[in-house]
Amino acid sequence: MAHFGVLGPLAVEAPPGHWVALRGERQRTLLAVLLLNAGRPVAVDVLVEALWPDGPPKSATSNLHTYLSRLRERIDGLRVEHGPLGYRLRAEPAELDLLGFRAAVAEGRRAADPVTAAGHYRRALALWRGPVLAGLHVPRLEADVARLESERLAVFEDCVDAELTAGRHGELTGELQAVLTEHPLRERPAAQLMVALHRAGQQGSALEVYRRLRTTLIEELGVEPGAEARRVHAAVLRGEDPVPRLPPAVWPVCQLPPDAGDFTGREAELAELTGVLGAGSGVPVAVLSGEPGAGKSTLAVRAAHRLRARFPDGQLYVPLAGRDIGEVLADLLRALGVPGPAVPDDVRARAAVFRGRLTDRRVLVVLDEAADPEHVRTLLPGTPGCAVLVTSRRRLSGLAGAHRLQLGPLSGADAAELLHRLAGPRVERERADAERIITACARLPLALRIAGSRLAIRPHLRLGELAGRLEDEVRRLDELTVSDLAVRSSIALSYEALRSPARRAFRLLGRCRLADLPAWAVTTLIDDPDADEAVEELVEASLLEARGADGTGEGRYRMHDLVRLYAAELPEPAPGSGLATVLAATLALADEAAARLPRTLPMPSPAHEPPAQPLPAPLVERLLARPDDWFAAERANLVLLIGTLAPPDAMLLLDRLGAYLYLHGHYADMRAVYESVSATVAEATLTLLRHTRGEYEEAAARYRACAKELESAGDGRTHAWVLANLAHCLIGLGRAEEALETAGQAQELFTLDESAAGLGWARAAESAALLRLGRIPDAREVDRAALAAARSTGDARMIGEALHRYAWSSLLTGDDPGARAAIAESVELLRGTLARSALAKSLRTYGAISAAIGRRNDATAAFEEARELARELDERPRELSCTRALAAAWIGEGRAEQAIPVLRACLDELREMGGRAATGLTWLVLHRAYVAMGDVGEAAEAEREAAELTDPRDASAAALRRALLALTEPA
């Protein structure tokens, strides 16, 4: 539907939100004439005269048809009919502001009382955006434009009469003075201004208005003021009110509590509520629910104040908590002017009178703390024009047709702003401690208000001290109390309204400290035939949050921190809960899920009997159909569980979770969980993370310390993996001889342990060390044997990794076609696995081989993809090496100036990591960049640095030099 505006500049909106720009002056003129005569036929002669005021061309009729066709094409929804009397544009009041204005004026003139009439007049006047068709000069329309302006002034004067009759005058003086300035000869607004000023106690000013009016009329027209102006003047002289006022009316009525001065955030929720309730159709009902302390009532009051202008007849505020509905209705009727004796005894009769009082009114009804859908139904208005905003701890699911908004915690920024408003500038100065307070308060407005109030009344209380108290879960609810505000009592009201099975379920869920729970865990934990009904009641009461399905398709539930602390304080339920079953099932699921994923973590899996699985096999299969999704859904829970389990189970879960985290590059989470465990294997894994980040020197020292402890403990399995990792780390440091010796030691231990994966990892280190030492045939033989062993397993990941190493040694032996074929197969195989780190490594090698054999575009595409993967996995050394290669390609593309700062940044990081070969190669590329720029001095220095770091035996570095230098050649 198109929307048109003529009460101001010509405006066309079609569809809504899209403003149509009509470029041609005659198109705009044609549309303006049709719009000003909407609903009436306009003769062709009139249209032609408007379009060609200086005389029409011979083709005027044809041109008119063309302009109409173009208008129909440009404006979706334009309805112009052609009949014997001419052209008629059809539009509804909602589509054209002029028709909307006249419809609202007509309603005002039909209104039975001046307050309602004034509301309609104000709505009509609000549609004016400026002079009619401002900016468009059409001589044929000048008379119509003048009539419309007179019509607007008359409506304004009618509006002022209605408002003066209703007793309003304070806000009118400014408007009336502005009108008189523009139209000094109009007597009616002058008389109205005298009335307004007189009522405001400004008799002298009122008489001055009359004096100016009389002087102007005599000087301009030679006439005296008319009878009405003289009557008002005489009444002012006598000190009488010139306009009789109605007795005080009930309407409008505003019962809203004051808006909170420190209200913070919730802009999205406010927009949603005001949009729903101000829609203007039917009787919209919005239910605002949420956990205790979420700020439902405060938000409702803020929204109601924002909506006051849309509900001019009033706003009713009805507290329902603990009140009888009959008493509530009696209070409402008395507030609406029903005398006490006239209030019916029957509740249904009272509800009928209440609806009758609201008939055809525009009233917003706010029902605060509703507990029963039936109470809300009793208080619903019966006719369109009103709206109802309900707050409730419950979702009130039985209330049909209501718009529901579930209120959660504040955003982090809004929580910080609220605390700042309450406690002052020190919140910003002590930001870290403020964040601790916000976290402990779970970002709930009530808890934050209490914490902020405590800080405000105790200016010398350090934020860190309060944060420390709040972080103690045993005393947190005790600390969240000030004056008559208490989080505990707010939650208690919701708990006490529960039935017995839901109370038991609430106490059980409060003792489970996981972040959130899948549906199977909730029902297992409650271990009761009525578990589903109890869960539904908790969700309805906003004590448990239903969060939708996770990646496995299982619904999830979450109990907010403060609610959980309250639940944990309550007496423990009778024995028989399923907590032990949930823990056992989770451990078994983690073990099975990890077994279904490729193991890329270069550390041994702890020896452990498979845990028993108490869940039925079909459920297990459904949950683990995509093991990645299961780990993603349970990741936060598994991190929390590790600290609660006995050491053997904790180590098993740590390994299974670690294998998933390492596979996907979630190194921060991995670091956090391994730091929580005191064991050599945990320290060795943390060292691996340092190694991955390029902290080679530190990693090598820690690997050695771990190896020594493991050797003393007789843990040959883990010792072998640590030695293999150390060998890879030493290669990064450029210590090839030591790496070769260490890889040999690892292989001996792996041979004893018969670990195929570990042996392959150690052989990879051996091959890399041999290449660094220039022993290319020996490395090729190691890689050939490793590839054969990998192919015998049929494991795509192992084959892909072995192909990667074989491709590189093939390149170094001069077998370019073999190298390209092997690396292409490696990339293809690894793309079909979850081993993204191995894929990034193969892509990088694919780039290097492609560059070396002159396939520049393939090389840069592979380096780009490898760099993006490395960045996602936080594998900084690989990201830097890909960045260096891409910068080398920029040199070949004539962008050496752009490459230099990037290469300098890479150089700084690689030097800090301690990688000699990587640093030397970066100096080499910098040398080529400076040569391209003609900077002889910098080029010479870079060449010296590269030469100093070059090991003539290092075949891998030589091959990389070949690839990088090829990229620096002109493209």
Side-chain angles (χ1 to χ4, degrees):
M1 183 173 68
H3 296 271
F4 303 93
V6 295
L7 303 182
L10 180 64
V12 182
E13 187 183 18
H18 175 72
W19 297 95
V20 178
L22 299 176
R23 299 179 185 85
E25 189 72 8
R26 290 197 174 94
Q27 280 191 42
R28 298 173 70 231
T29 298
L30 175 59
L31 180 61
V33 175
L34 292 171
L35 288 172
L36 251 59
N37 293 276
R40 303 192 305 269
V42 184
V44 172
D45 291 344
V46 173
L47 293 173
V48 168
E49 181 186 348
L51 292 171
W52 293 281
D54 297 325
K58 291 181 180 179
S59 58
T61 304
S62 173
N63 290 350
L64 176 61
H65 288 306
T66 301
Y67 293 145
L68 278 168
S69 298
R70 289 176 181 172
L71 281 176
R72 289 189 179 104
E73 290 172 2
R74 292 281 293 146
I75 303 172
D76 184 24
L78 180 68
R79 304 193 299 276
V80 178
E81 301 170 345
H82 185 220
L85 299 179
Y87 290 90
R88 182 177 66 172
L89 185 148
R90 292 177 54 202
E92 300 297 327
E95 298 172 303
L96 174 60
D97 57 5
L98 174 58
L99 297 181
F101 166 77
R102 286 172 172 161
V105 170
E107 287 187 54
R109 288 175 179 155
R110 287 194 302 267
D113 64 275
V115 174
T116 304
H120 291 307
Y121 291 142
R122 285 292 178 187
R123 182 159 53 88
L125 293 168
L127 294 172
W128 286 71
R129 297 169 288 114
V132 175
L133 297 174
L136 182 64
H137 178 63
V138 183
R140 184 66 178 76
L141 296 179
E142 287 177 355
D144 294 318
V145 170
R147 279 195 298 272
L148 278 175
E149 178 59 27
S150 296
E151 188 177 342
R152 183 189 70 82
L153 283 170
V155 171
F156 171 76
E157 291 163 359
D158 289 346
C159 180
V160 172
D161 274 348
E163 291 180 334
L164 288 173
T165 302
R168 302 174 185 172
H169 55 268
E171 61 269 32
L172 294 174
T173 55
E175 286 184 278
L176 289 165
Q177 285 168 344
V179 168
L180 277 177
T181 299
E182 189 174 352
H183 305 281
L185 298 176
R186 288 188 77 91
E187 295 185 42
R188 192 177 175 194
Q192 291 169 334
L193 180 56
M194 285 192 285
V195 174
L197 290 170
H198 176 60
R199 285 184 181 175
Q202 301 179 49
Q203 186 180 26
S205 298
L207 294 173
E208 176 62 20
V209 171
Y210 182 80
R211 188 193 65 76
R212 285 200 306 269
L213 172 67
R214 182 172 182 272
T215 300
T216 303
L217 287 171
I218 291 172
E219 289 178 355
E220 296 290 332
L221 304 177
V223 297
E224 288 281 343
E228 178 62 13
R230 293 197 306 273
R231 183 190 69 78
V232 172
H233 177 244
V236 172
L237 285 171
R238 293 192 301 270
E240 298 173 357
D241 191 340
V243 178
R245 283 184 281 188
L246 292 178
V250 168
W251 309 104
V253 57
C254 180
Q255 297 180 333
L256 296 178
D259 194 7
D262 52 14
F263 186 92
T264 304
R266 304 294 197 195
E267 286 303 322
E269 292 88 345
L270 279 167
E272 184 174 342
L273 287 174
T274 54
V276 169
L277 297 172
S281 58
V283 181
V285 179
V287 177
L288 183 58
S289 60
E291 64 181 302
K296 300 179 289 294
S297 297
T298 307
L299 175 60
V301 170
R302 168 57 63 99
H305 276 285
R306 281 200 179 181
L307 286 162
R308 284 191 62 192
R310 300 193 192 181
F311 297 95
D313 290 325
Q315 304 82 40
L316 300 175
Y317 183 81
V318 189
L320 292 174
R323 299 182 65 198
D324 176 76
I325 192 64
E327 293 177 3
V328 168
L329 279 165
D331 288 347
L332 281 171
L333 293 180
R334 283 189 287 270
L336 296 178
V338 178
V343 174
D345 293 331
D346 182 67
V347 171
R348 285 178 294 183
R350 290 179 182 180
V353 175
F354 173 68
R355 288 193 295 273
R357 283 278 159 164
L358 297 184
T359 299
D360 294 331
R361 297 281 181 186
R362 293 188 60 78
V363 175
L364 175 64
V365 182
V366 181
L367 305 177
D368 192 32
E369 289 287 357
D372 188 338
E374 183 56 35
H375 288 175
V376 177
R377 294 189 199 102
T378 302
L379 296 169
L380 292 179
T383 55
C386 294
V388 181
L389 174 55
V390 186
T391 75
S392 178
R393 293 164 181 262
R394 309 181 69 82
R395 289 177 53 84
L396 302 182
S397 301
L399 197 60
H403 178 89
R404 287 178 173 77
L405 175 58
Q406 186 78 8
L407 197 60
L410 291 171
S411 68
D414 288 341
E417 176 62 22
L418 177 58
L419 192 62
H420 182 275
R421 290 188 179 188
L422 293 163
R426 57 186 169 142
V427 170
E428 192 61 38
R429 293 196 301 269
E430 302 174 49
R431 189 57 187 263
D433 290 327
E435 289 295 335
R436 292 168 59 200
I437 292 173
I438 289 167
T439 300
C441 290
R443 292 185 280 114
L444 285 178
L446 175 61
L448 287 165
R449 191 169 294 281
I450 292 170
S453 299
R454 293 190 62 189
L455 290 168
I457 61 179
R458 297 181 62 186
H460 302 297
L461 176 63
R462 292 182 300 103
L463 268 69
E465 183 180 347
L466 179 58
R469 295 178 186 176
L470 291 173
E471 286 170 342
D472 181 353
E473 292 193 350
V474 174
R475 63 187 294 187
R476 186 180 300 172
L477 294 179
D478 293 328
E479 295 291 336
L480 289 175
T481 303
V482 64
S483 185
D484 61 340
L485 298 178
V487 170
R488 181 184 281 112
S489 60
S490 178
I491 302 171
L493 287 173
S494 296
Y495 171 73
E496 289 160 5
L498 299 173
R499 292 176 297 176
S500 179
R503 288 189 181 190
R504 177 179 176 274
F506 180 72
R507 299 200 300 275
L508 286 167
L509 289 167
R511 277 163 174 73
C512 187
R513 300 186 58 185
L514 299 182
D516 64 355
L517 287 170
W520 71 261
V522 172
T523 52
T524 302
L525 180 66
I526 297 172
D527 192 22
D528 187 281
D530 297 326
D532 287 343
E533 289 79 1
V535 168
E536 287 178 8
E537 186 173 351
L538 291 175
V539 171
E540 180 73 13
S542 300
L543 292 172
L544 187 67
E545 180 186 2
R547 297 172 65 85
D550 60 25
T552 71
E554 193 75 358
R556 300 194 77 85
Y557 297 91
R558 179 174 183 266
M559 185 175 280
H560 289 278
D561 289 348
L562 297 178
V563 175
R564 179 181 57 78
L565 290 178
Y566 176 81
E569 290 182 346
L570 299 171
E572 190 169 354
S577 78
L579 183 57
T581 306
V582 171
L583 293 177
T586 302
L587 189 63
L589 286 168
D591 185 62
E592 175 66 19
R596 298 186 184 199
L597 292 175
R599 186 176 178 88
T600 59
L601 176 64
M603 288 294 292
S605 179
H608 199 285
E609 286 293 323
Q613 177 54 269
L615 298 181
L619 174 60
V620 172
E621 189 55 39
R622 178 168 65 79
L623 292 174
L624 300 185
R626 296 183 300 276
D628 245 19
D629 290 340
W630 184 85
F631 267 119
E634 300 295 347
R635 181 167 143 192
N637 283 338
L638 299 178
V639 170
L640 289 172
L641 268 181
I642 287 170
T644 67
L645 298 174
D649 288 341
M651 291 306 298
L652 176 67
L653 183 55
L654 181 68
D655 175 77
R656 299 321 189 237
L657 176 60
Y660 163 77
L661 294 174
Y662 189 82
L663 176 64
H664 291 284
H666 300 313
Y667 298 142
D669 273 4
M670 196 171 173
R671 190 174 296 110
V673 292
Y674 276 89
E675 284 175 347
S676 68
V677 175
S678 177
T680 305
V681 66
E683 176 59 29
T685 307
L686 289 169
T687 302
L688 173 66
L689 299 181
R690 290 180 177 274
H691 179 176
T692 303
R693 282 286 301 155
E695 300 172 23
Y696 295 132
E697 289 286 2
E698 180 69 18
R702 288 173 179 262
Y703 276 140
R704 289 192 181 93
C706 289
K708 189 174 181 180
E709 289 184 27
L710 292 165
E711 186 176 20
S712 299
D715 185 353
R717 229 166 131 251
T718 310
H719 186 197
W721 278 99
V722 170
L723 286 176
N725 289 336
L726 173 59
H728 283 278
C729 186
L730 291 169
I731 291 164
L733 286 168
R735 302 175 192 167
E737 292 91 346
E738 190 178 352
L740 184 61
E741 181 184 352
T742 305
Q745 294 170 5
Q747 286 185 62
E748 290 177 12
L749 290 170
F750 278 129
T751 302
L752 293 173
D753 190 54
E754 298 181 348
S755 170
L759 193 58
W761 186 236
R763 283 173 176 165
E766 178 189 10
S767 169
L770 288 168
L771 291 175
R772 299 279 184 180
L773 294 170
R775 295 167 57 182
I776 299 173
D778 294 341
R780 181 92 184 279
E781 191 54 40
V782 170
D783 292 337
R784 191 193 306 277
L787 178 57
R791 287 197 187 277
S792 69
T793 68
D795 185 303
R797 179 185 61 84
M798 293 181 65
I799 297 170
E801 292 179 350
L803 278 165
H804 161 258
R805 295 189 290 273
Y806 181 74
W808 190 242
S809 58
S810 295
L811 180 73
L812 269 60
T813 58
D815 182 6
D816 291 355
R820 176 169 169 74
I823 198 60
E825 185 184 356
S826 171
V827 168
E828 183 179 358
L829 283 171
L830 291 173
R831 282 197 194 280
T833 73
L834 295 172
R836 295 197 300 157
S837 179
L839 174 60
K841 185 187 294 186
S842 279
L843 280 166
R844 182 183 61 176
T845 300
Y846 186 97
I849 291 173
S850 297
I853 63 178
R855 302 178 71 95
R856 182 189 192 87
N857 291 339
D858 290 348
T860 54
F863 281 127
E864 284 278 12
E865 187 179 356
R867 181 173 69 169
E868 190 58 35
L869 273 173
R871 182 176 292 149
E872 290 174 7
L873 296 169
D874 198 24
E875 293 179 346
R876 190 61 179 158
R878 187 168 298 140
E879 183 184 348
L880 289 171
S881 65
C882 292
T883 300
R884 177 184 61 204
L886 291 168
W890 294 347
I891 298 169
E893 295 165 5
R895 296 155 56 194
E897 185 177 6
Q898 183 180 349
I900 288 171
V902 173
L903 290 166
R904 278 285 181 187
C906 291
L907 187 65
D908 291 341
E909 287 196 59
L910 291 169
R911 278 193 296 201
E912 187 177 344
M913 291 174 183
R916 285 178 58 85
T919 305
L921 288 168
T922 309
W923 276 118
L924 177 68
V925 179
L926 260 173
H927 163 70
R928 295 301 292 265
Y930 285 127
V931 168
M933 292 296 296
D935 192 333
V936 177
E938 292 286 3
E941 181 191 356
E943 188 175 31
R944 283 194 302 273
E945 294 282 0
E948 186 176 330
L949 292 169
T950 298
D951 183 346
R953 302 172 300 171
D954 191 339
S956 281
L960 280 173
R961 280 198 297 276
R962 171 188 168 191
L964 292 170
L965 291 176
L967 289 172
T968 65
E969 294 297 328

